[in-house]
Amino acid sequence: MVLRMMLIVTYEVRKVYGMLIDEDDNFQGWTIKEGATFRSRENQGVVNRLICEVRAFNPSFLSQDIRDAAYRYYRSCCEEESLKRRGKSDVKKQGKRRHERLVRKLEERKAALNRMKFTNEKDKAVWLDAMKLDIMSSEESDMDEEEGVLIIHPLEWRSDKLERMFLILDNEITKSKSPQAQRQMKRRVVGDKSQRPVPLIADTESLKWIAKK
């Protein structure tokens, strides 16, 4: 249970950090340069902002747990920056592409859902409630690009009902595309299993069905 919570807090910290980078022009992120440390004034400002934003979404999270997760993320970013400077990684660009694909796929699935006919509007409302970035399929949130191939990292915690829902929506998306657009779609292959933990929203009464029991 402790490990699961640590993974969840870490995931939330990274997600909020990415959102701030994308949406807040005043948020500059970690200061990673010679002489800078996690305790530097600029980086403590980042930590305090993360604590504020993460707890706004998850009031039950402890500030110290968020700070610890921020420290782990800072260390990870320092290592990635070191690799990037040596020409072995382009982490920011890759992360931005992944996030853009995630958002684009979410919008496509929402549009497909709104085109579908439901005999019971309550069923449609249940599906709409599950249209969250946190539970998007792993091909959008955990994939790599290799010569036009998207590598899917399956999420083991997802329920069969959620898997069927995404399959129906993705088939609807494919059918709505022209033959030329379908031919241009990147090939998808299944890779290693994702390590992403079950999101906290799966504990809410209306969304318990998204995760395996």
Side-chain angles (χ1 to χ4, degrees):
M1 187 66 178
V2 173
L3 178 59
R4 183 199 171 198
M5 180 56 66
M6 184 181 75
L7 291 172
I8 289 174
V9 174
T10 298
Y11 173 71
E12 290 295 319
V13 165
R14 295 186 178 216
K15 183 183 73 174
V16 169
Y17 182 93
M19 289 172 55
L20 291 171
I21 287 290
D22 291 338
E23 301 172 8
D24 188 343
D25 292 337
N26 294 320
F27 184 78
Q28 300 300 313
W30 300 120
T31 298
I32 302 174
K33 61 183 181 181
E34 187 175 352
T37 67
F38 181 71
R39 296 183 180 278
S40 297
R41 180 175 56 84
E42 300 92 333
N43 288 328
Q44 285 305 294
V46 173
V47 174
N48 291 334
R49 180 73 185 278
L50 287 172
I51 291 173
C52 179
E53 296 292 341
V54 171
R55 295 198 76 240
F57 291 105
N58 307 277
S60 63
F61 284 10
L62 299 178
S63 296
Q64 187 58 52
D65 289 343
I66 299 172
R67 184 178 297 277
D68 291 343
Y71 175 68
R72 291 191 296 271
Y73 188 38
Y74 169 78
R75 290 291 302 272
S76 175
C77 287
C78 287
E79 293 172 1
E80 290 170 350
E81 183 64 20
S82 177
L83 290 173
K84 182 178 177 181
R85 287 172 180 170
R86 287 181 290 183
K88 294 184 178 179
S89 178
D90 192 356
V91 177
K92 187 172 183 179
K93 185 182 294 185
Q94 184 184 57
K96 184 178 181 181
R97 287 199 302 267
R98 289 180 180 180
H99 182 71
E100 288 174 348
R101 284 194 296 263
L102 178 66
V103 173
R104 184 168 60 249
K105 192 66 174 181
L106 177 61
E107 293 306 314
E108 286 182 331
R109 283 175 170 164
K110 284 182 178 179
L113 179 56
N114 286 323
R115 289 194 301 269
M116 293 172 60
K117 302 296 183 181
F118 286 78
T119 55
N120 188 335
E121 286 299 312
K122 288 184 178 180
D123 292 336
K124 182 176 182 179
V126 169
W127 284 29
L128 279 172
D129 194 32
M131 292 293 102
K132 305 283 195 302
L133 289 175
D134 286 348
I135 57 178
M136 286 288 287
S137 63
S138 55
E139 75 172 63
E140 287 79 46
S141 58
D142 288 322
M143 67 184 175
D144 306 309
E145 289 187 281
E146 293 180 359
E147 300 178 355
V149 175
L150 299 181
I151 304 174
I152 304 169
H153 301 285
L155 293 167
E156 285 194 293
W157 54 262
R158 295 201 317 189
S159 68
D160 291 341
K161 183 177 179 181
L162 182 63
E163 293 284 5
R164 286 195 298 271
M165 184 192 80
F166 281 134
L167 180 61
I168 292 171
L169 291 176
D170 289 344
N171 286 338
E172 177 66 25
I173 292 170
T174 300
K175 288 191 298 183
S176 69
K177 295 181 181 293
S178 67
Q180 181 180 359
Q182 290 184 29
R183 288 193 296 271
Q184 293 175 343
M185 294 175 64
K186 293 182 177 180
R187 184 167 63 90
R188 286 162 166 78
V189 297
V190 178
D192 295 333
K193 295 173 183 176
S194 172
Q195 298 302 309
R196 283 171 53 198
V198 182
L200 284 179
I201 56 175
D203 292 334
T204 60
E205 191 64 34
S206 64
L207 288 173
K208 284 185 176 180
W209 63 273
I210 69 173
K212 294 176 181 177
K213 295 182 180 179

